[in-house]
Amino acid sequence: MENCKNLKCLPNSIQMKSLESLNLSGCEKLENFPEIRGNMEFLSELMLSRTAIQELPSSVGQLIGISLLDLSSCRNLVTLPASIYEMRKLKILNLKGCSKLATFPENLGDLGQLEEVNASNTAIWQLPDSFGNLSKLRILSLKRGWKLKHQSAGSLIFPKSFGCLKELKILDLSGCNLSGEEINAFSCLTALLELNLSRNEFIFLPDSISQLSQLQYLNLTYCLALIELPKLPPSIEELYVEDFLAPQAILALPMYPRLYLVSFTNYSFVQQPYTEKSNDNSALEKILCLVLSDAMDNVVHPSLNSDHRVSYCIVFPERAIPTWFKYQSNEEKISFKLPKFWCSPEFMGFAICCVTCMGAGIHGCDLRLSGKYDYTFIEAKLICNNHPEELEVLEKVCKVGSSSRSYSLCVCLAYIPLYSLLEGLGTKIKNFNQYGVFEASIQRRIPRQWGVHLIYKSGRQFFRSRLHDGLLGHQLR
């Protein structure tokens, strides 16, 4: 019965013993859900998204076999019945877009099997005291869209029991008007992997966030009042922040050995007029010089046998690559012959830049935060040009991503040390100079410009000099 646009009503009561799934999603004129009579224990899925239902009857609690309750985009829904706690097998509760729903039932915590709650873009601003009893909860989204965020001056209120959610792995609190103090309540969420705090009012974040010992993904974009980055957990792998925090974030790389992707956003950047010309005194150029100078020697680990990153990527809002990148191209991929004896003891690695469009998010079917932003992969190859059949192609794939709200141009940098190309290779390479061709491409993107620079120890004086040269050095301090 999905998408029956003209369906206005159902019988006053229903009793269908063998029914396993009921899908009324998209029945936009349906205002009432019938009373439940008798046994319907086989019903495991109830999907009522995009209907005009204002409330559910209390008898809905008799649906004791329900594991999925989808009420997303029910914009007239104002309340949930207290009897929902009787749905003891409920695992997924989707309330996304129920913009008039202001409260959870006080006994929500009695749903001991609940694993996922999506209450994004609702009017809920306080969690019930029982919320901490959801011992199996893994995914929670309470994010607010831009309109809902500005409709309320208050911030989301957490119960003292919130830290008891020991299984919580994914938490989205973007746009919840948080000021920072609330984060102390999260320090006990030791299973947390992904945390989205974007679009909040932070000036400072407490260092207690570093106690999230499993945290891999942190989004702080559009936190325009944030003065400095907090101390992060050593487990952090991906960091998304505003570009005015770029120097701090880059200088912090050595402190976080698993942080392989740092992505910056700047909403005002997309409003600027387009230009293909490179500005060699741009913020990007400053960041690249900082990254490639010897101040960052300990950013990558000189061994594949460790938990330390072996390469890293930076995404920056910019439209062109600095002119000092020696090898440049406007083709779909970049491919060039390496100089003779390019691989000397002085050689360190390849700096690869690609200008392409990213952002606006990817709306995947899962609720993982890392699936909600735009990402792709840069692939680098070393190829033997004389006898390619004799030597295996050396490849390295690096992830780049953006959580920007706008689909706009950015520069993706991948720094790939030479030894990282050996990852997963069963044999040792005696002479890298047998490889004479370097190639780079980007998946599922149309590149505007490529740039590759070979990094040597002796050549980094160039980057040091630019860092200490007038305005460039001054703006990075």
Side-chain angles (χ1 to χ4, degrees):
M1 299 176 70
E2 182 180 9
N3 292 323
C4 290
K5 304 292 185 182
N6 294 320
L7 181 66
K8 294 182 178 181
C9 63
L10 293 170
N12 290 333
S13 64
I14 57 173
Q15 180 180 0
M16 291 177 277
K17 293 183 179 180
S18 301
L19 187 65
E20 297 181 359
S21 177
L22 179 57
N23 189 351
L24 297 170
S25 299
C27 298
E28 298 172 351
K29 296 181 180 180
L30 182 65
E31 296 183 356
N32 296 293
F33 189 76
E35 297 281 348
I36 304 300
R37 302 297 183 193
N39 184 4
M40 293 183 64
E41 63 181 349
F42 292 109
L43 187 65
S44 62
E45 297 179 338
L46 178 57
M47 291 162 281
L48 301 172
S49 64
R50 306 188 314 281
T51 62
I53 290 173
Q54 297 182 30
E55 60 181 357
L56 295 175
S58 59
S59 61
V60 78
Q62 297 179 37
L63 300 175
I64 58 175
I66 289 288
S67 62
L68 166 63
L69 178 57
D70 184 1
L71 294 163
S72 59
S73 299
C74 290
R75 293 183 172 86
N76 293 328
L77 186 72
V78 295
T79 185
L80 292 174
S83 61
I84 195 174
Y85 82 95
E86 298 177 41
M87 296 180 174
R88 301 293 182 172
K89 294 183 179 180
L90 188 63
K91 291 185 177 181
I92 301 175
L93 177 60
N94 191 352
L95 303 169
K96 178 182 178 181
C98 297
S99 54
K100 293 182 180 179
L101 183 65
T103 60
F104 282 120
E106 286 296 326
N107 55 7
L108 187 73
D110 292 342
L111 295 171
Q113 300 300 312
L114 198 58
E115 296 180 2
E116 301 181 15
V117 175
N118 188 343
S120 58
N121 294 325
T122 65
I124 296 172
W125 288 95
Q126 184 168 0
L127 304 181
D129 291 337
S130 66
F131 205 87
N133 297 334
L134 300 174
S135 59
K136 293 188 177 181
L137 191 66
R138 299 185 301 107
I139 301 174
L140 174 61
S141 176
L142 297 167
K143 75 174 183 178
R144 302 290 178 268
W146 291 81
K147 291 182 179 180
L148 281 172
K149 177 181 184 295
H150 293 293
Q151 285 174 3
S152 174
S155 63
L156 188 65
I157 300 174
F158 299 89
K160 293 181 180 179
S161 63
F162 192 78
C164 297
L165 302 174
K166 301 299 184 182
E167 295 298 316
L168 192 63
K169 297 184 182 301
I170 300 171
L171 179 59
D172 190 345
L173 298 173
S174 53
C176 288
N177 284 340
L178 303 180
S179 61
E181 296 179 1
E182 304 90 346
I183 306 303
N184 288 317
F186 304 165
S187 59
C188 296
L189 303 178
T190 53
L192 201 62
L193 298 176
E194 304 183 6
L195 177 60
N196 189 346
L197 297 175
S198 63
R199 296 186 292 109
N200 279 295
E201 309 300 325
F202 309 124
I203 298 176
F204 294 98
L205 281 170
D207 286 343
S208 60
I209 200 170
S210 66
Q211 298 175 33
L212 302 175
S213 57
Q214 302 297 316
L215 192 67
Q216 298 175 4
Y217 164 98
L218 178 61
N219 189 339
L220 295 173
T221 55
Y222 304 104
C223 294
L224 302 181
L226 188 62
I227 294 176
E228 63 182 15
L229 290 174
K231 182 180 179 182
L232 302 176
S235 57
I236 196 71
E237 296 182 1
E238 300 181 28
L239 177 63
Y240 296 79
V241 294
E242 289 299 295
D243 65 351
F244 60 80
L245 293 171
Q248 289 185 42
I250 298 303
L251 290 171
L253 273 171
M255 298 171 56
Y256 306 110
R258 297 175 64 181
L259 180 57
Y260 67 85
L261 171 58
V262 184
S263 182
F264 302 104
T265 57
N266 183 336
Y267 180 66
S268 63
F269 168 77
V270 299
Q271 313 299 323
Q272 299 171 10
Y274 174 75
T275 176
E276 292 186 352
K277 294 182 179 180
S278 172
N279 177 5
D280 280 349
N281 199 35
S282 67
L284 170 66
E285 206 266 350
K286 303 175 182 67
I287 294 302
L288 292 178
C289 286
L290 180 60
V291 167
L292 299 174
S293 70
D294 57 1
M296 307 301 285
D297 271 350
N298 54 350
V299 169
V300 290
H301 198 277
S303 171
L304 293 175
N305 300 317
S306 78
D307 203 24
H308 200 293
R309 69 181 151 255
V310 295
S311 61
Y312 59 86
C313 295
I314 295 169
V315 178
F316 202 85
E318 189 55 84
R319 297 179 173 86
I321 295 169
T323 57
W324 47 258
F325 269 80
K326 183 172 182 179
Y327 303 96
Q328 299 207 17
S329 171
N330 295 319
E331 302 298 325
E332 184 175 347
K333 65 180 180 180
I334 185 170
S335 180
F336 58 90
K337 289 185 177 181
L338 292 162
K340 192 175 183 180
F341 305 120
W342 61 271
C343 187
S344 69
E346 288 276 304
F347 183 73
M348 299 187 66
F350 300 93
I352 309 166
C353 272
C354 178
V355 180
T356 190
C357 286
M358 297 186 73
I362 294 178
H363 303 287
C365 58
D366 60 50
L367 288 176
R368 291 181 64 86
L369 300 182
S370 58
K372 303 302 181 189
Y373 60 81
D374 198 1
Y375 67 92
T376 186
F377 299 90
I378 290 177
E379 183 177 6
K381 294 182 180 181
L382 268 180
I383 304 168
C384 179
N385 57 340
N386 293 326
H387 304 285
E389 70 282 354
E390 296 179 6
L391 288 174
E392 184 176 350
V393 173
L394 303 184
E395 299 182 63
K396 178 65 178 176
V397 176
C398 298
K399 180 181 178 181
V400 290
S402 172
S403 63
S404 172
R405 291 177 60 232
S406 303
Y407 190 67
S408 58
L409 287 170
C410 60
V411 173
C412 305
L413 166 75
Y415 178 69
I416 301 178
L418 180 61
Y419 69 87
S420 70
L421 290 162
L422 299 176
E423 196 170 14
L425 195 65
T427 58
K428 292 184 178 180
I429 304 298
K430 295 181 179 179
N431 183 8
F432 277 98
N433 285 311
Q434 297 175 89
Y435 290 87
V437 176
F438 182 86
E439 182 179 294
S441 58
I442 188 167
Q443 299 179 9
R444 308 187 311 273
R445 289 295 184 277
I446 300 175
R448 298 289 185 92
Q449 184 185 12
W450 283 100
V452 178
H453 202 78
L454 278 58
I455 307 300
Y456 293 87
K457 292 179 181 179
S458 58
R460 289 181 304 167
Q461 175 60 38
F462 168 79
F463 304 115
R464 289 197 300 269
S465 65
R466 295 191 67 79
L467 279 174
H468 295 91
D469 181 23
L471 182 62
L472 185 56
H474 175 73
Q475 291 189 3
L476 274 173
R477 294 189 188 104

